[in-house]
Amino acid sequence: ADGTRCAFIEGIDNDEDLANELFAHGGNESRRLLEFAVDRRALSGDTDCLVASLNAESGQVISHMILDLGSDVVLDAIDSAVAAC
């Protein structure tokens, strides 16, 4: 190891897998972070509704949304949230 990575995440070499491994959010913590993520993406629709919809998704979706990874699960969740709101 060269000191640039933590030993407990050895073998994880991409952002999606790292997000899945490291981040778990409670409803209150993720709500605030999702508000920033929704604002950053300038999503159309009621922000409270969008955040509530996204906050009901899996931890994977929430983590990827907060980290702005643009993964397929995030894009699908955004589409669903926008359609619902």
Side-chain angles (χ1 to χ4, degrees):
D2 62 6
T4 60
R5 308 272 299 182
C6 296
F8 69 90
I9 58 169
E10 192 167 318
I12 298 175
D13 58 2
N14 69 65
D15 289 340
E16 286 188 38
D17 290 341
L18 184 61
N20 293 339
E21 182 69 25
L22 294 180
F23 294 96
H25 304 283
N28 293 331
E29 295 87 359
S30 60
R31 179 171 181 76
R32 186 178 61 80
L33 294 169
L34 285 168
E35 287 172 356
F36 291 120
V38 166
D39 287 344
R40 179 178 61 236
R41 285 181 173 262
L43 299 178
S44 61
D46 177 68
T47 299
D48 288 337
C49 181
L50 292 167
V51 168
S53 179
L54 292 166
N55 208 19
E57 293 286 344
S58 70
Q60 177 190 33
V61 171
I62 293 169
S63 296
H64 289 203
M65 181 74 184
I66 291 168
L67 294 172
D68 199 21
L69 295 183
S71 62
D72 289 342
V73 295
V74 166
L75 299 176
D76 291 344
I78 288 171
D79 289 344
S80 295
V82 168
C85 296

